[in-house]
Amino acid sequence: MIDYLIVGLGLAGISMCETLSGHGKSFVVINDDSQQATRVAGGLYNPVVLKRFNPVWMAAEQLQLALPFYTALEEKLGVRLLYPGRIKRRFASVEEQNQWFEACDHPRLKDFLLPDVLANTNPGIAAPYGFGIVENSGRVDTALLAKQYAELLEEKGTLLKESFLFDKLDVSADGVQYKHIKARQVIFATGYGLSANPYFNYLPLQGSKGEYLRIHSPGLKETEILKSAFFVLPGENDEYLVGATYAWKDYENTPTKKARVQLKEKLDKLLNCDYQIVGQQAGIRPTVADRRPLVGRHPGYANLYALNGFGSRGVMIGPWAAKQLYDLIESGQPLNPEMDLGRFTKIYYPQARDASGS
């Protein structure tokens, strides 16, 4: 019997695997690549809500774990994943500049916002009101992380590349059995795929489709992350990732013309230089109405768990939430109540018989 069966290998699944590995726990992962959010994401970590200049929920606590976590993964996988940097938030008016200065006095923002206006010196960008600077930000190459981590698990023989079949799962008080695998616990880290999980489909998980454009622009010459109506993330060889969009009723991983037009219209207002669209990608974010993750123990099955609902902030939330879930399972330490899926237990009980099949 192994300690854990993990279903899903996006940011949540990888975070859980690394947490288990660090504590010497045995595990097997099942993943079918049906969820693409991690592979297509911009990988941004940003402690500030830049639309209203508010602090991101638990940002300081999350970053304290996340940055060493990805640094250790770089060494383990032998690739570069972490790109620390700053975000240049483009001001649209003098009023926004004033709001920025007010935000700089917020006790949870003072370590992240510089109390100055940075004048624009890049002729390729239209920014007459300048920029505000967010420090302690950056990005993680999530596509490379997902690829390299899957290869690592394949080499170890702990990754099964297949779809999870719920009718093959037998849950008992002593543990679970899935086909030939016996495990003490199962953790579902399947992103938006959790909505089709008969044990957890009572949870109010929403899907928001996000799309990015990849552009080539030799004239832009920008090395820092830009934030206007969207993000522009510098890559290599004069390429940039531009996005992302939000769509609430489209649950396909297929890029759309609508998003392409929407992003291009906004990009044309930001850039004063030529560019060429060289790619487009899409994925479904696992989001929740109250904007908090879905983490914790199933209300009716003591050895079934969920690690989900990270939305667009999986890079920051993943390592922190995985540690909290591990501490809950192994030591009985309570989760942060704002993300504990126990907040939705009252929704579950009318459906308890449906999940058990009895």
Side-chain angles (χ1 to χ4, degrees):
M1 179 179 283
I2 60 172
D3 295 314
Y4 289 84
L5 175 61
I6 310 296
V7 185
L9 197 61
L11 283 169
I14 291 170
S15 296
M16 198 69 229
C17 289
E18 276 302 283
T19 301
L20 296 175
S21 180
H23 288 87
K25 300 296 181 179
S26 58
F27 61 87
V28 168
V29 178
I30 297 175
N31 185 57
D32 64 2
D33 286 333
S34 61
Q35 301 301 314
Q36 294 293 312
T38 293
R39 292 180 180 273
V40 305
L44 186 70
Y45 61 91
N46 166 31
V48 185
V49 180
L50 288 174
K51 185 175 183 179
R52 300 180 181 87
F53 308 143
N54 294 328
V56 166
W57 175 71
M58 303 299 290
E61 294 83 353
Q62 292 167 13
L63 286 175
Q64 187 176 9
L65 279 177
L67 299 183
F69 177 87
Y70 294 113
T71 299
L73 270 174
E74 287 183 316
E75 183 175 349
K76 183 173 187 174
L77 298 175
V79 295
R80 184 177 183 186
L81 301 170
L82 189 61
Y83 293 82
R86 308 190 306 176
I87 297 173
K88 294 164 64 173
R89 205 293 196 172
R90 176 183 179 270
F91 293 130
S93 64
V94 173
E95 287 75 18
E96 279 198 341
Q97 292 177 345
N98 293 332
Q99 292 168 11
W100 179 270
F101 291 131
E102 292 176 6
C104 288
D105 293 329
H106 193 293
R108 288 186 68 89
L109 291 178
K110 62 182 181 179
D111 292 335
F112 302 123
L113 304 185
L114 291 186
D116 301 297
V117 173
L118 178 69
N120 178 36
T121 59
N122 188 335
I125 302 171
Y129 296 98
F131 303 96
I133 299 298
V134 183
E135 295 190 305
N136 299 305
S137 301
R139 67 178 181 89
V140 172
D141 191 334
T142 55
L144 182 59
L145 169 59
K147 176 179 178 295
Q148 295 294 117
Y149 203 85
E151 291 179 0
L152 174 67
L153 295 187
E154 281 191 272
E155 291 174 2
K156 293 183 175 182
T158 55
L159 173 62
L160 301 179
K161 301 176 74 173
E162 60 185 56
S163 296
F164 189 86
L165 304 176
F166 289 96
D167 61 355
K168 301 296 184 183
L169 178 65
D170 183 22
V171 183
S172 68
D174 298 326
V176 302
Q177 179 154 351
Y178 179 78
K179 297 183 179 180
H180 63 285
I181 301 170
K182 293 183 179 181
R184 293 184 173 84
Q185 324 283 354
V186 180
I187 298 176
F188 291 99
T190 51
Y192 182 64
L194 195 74
S195 61
N197 185 318
Y199 292 94
F200 289 99
N201 61 5
Y202 73 94
L203 294 171
L205 184 69
Q206 303 171 336
S208 65
K209 184 173 184 175
E211 298 192 47
Y212 285 90
L213 296 181
R214 191 171 295 279
I215 66 169
H216 181 249
S217 180
L220 181 51
K221 301 301 181 187
E222 182 57 59
T223 59
E224 297 189 287
I225 299 168
L226 298 178
K227 173 65 171 76
S228 182
F230 49 83
F231 284 98
V232 179
L233 285 72
E236 297 180 349
N237 302 317
D238 296 319
E239 286 196 359
Y240 300 82
L241 197 62
V242 178
T245 59
Y246 283 83
W248 301 99
K249 296 182 180 181
D250 182 357
Y251 304 121
E252 301 292 332
N253 290 319
T254 307
T256 64
K257 180 180 179 181
K258 180 180 179 181
R260 184 185 182 98
V261 170
Q262 180 183 348
L263 288 170
K264 187 177 185 305
E265 286 178 350
K266 294 179 179 180
L267 192 60
D268 289 342
K269 295 177 181 179
L270 175 67
L271 300 187
N272 288 328
C273 57
D274 294 333
Y275 67 89
Q276 179 184 5
I277 298 174
V278 295
Q280 185 174 352
Q281 54 205 52
I284 312 300
R285 310 176 188 90
T287 55
V288 187
D290 64 6
R291 300 191 178 188
R292 296 293 181 264
L294 297 171
V295 181
R297 180 183 287 116
H298 190 281
Y301 299 89
N303 41 23
L304 301 187
Y305 297 84
L307 183 63
N308 212 297
F310 296 171
S312 60
R313 302 192 184 278
V315 165
M316 289 175 57
I317 295 175
W320 180 75
K323 181 182 184 302
Q324 287 224 354
L325 182 57
Y326 178 84
D327 290 341
L328 168 72
I329 299 171
E330 297 292 338
S331 305
Q333 297 182 28
L335 295 165
N336 180 296
E338 289 189 72
M339 73 175 180
D340 190 338
L341 56 81
R343 67 193 189 274
F344 298 113
T345 296
K346 291 182 179 179
I347 301 175
Y348 165 75
Y349 277 107
Q351 302 182 27
R353 291 187 178 275
D354 294 337
S356 64
S358 60

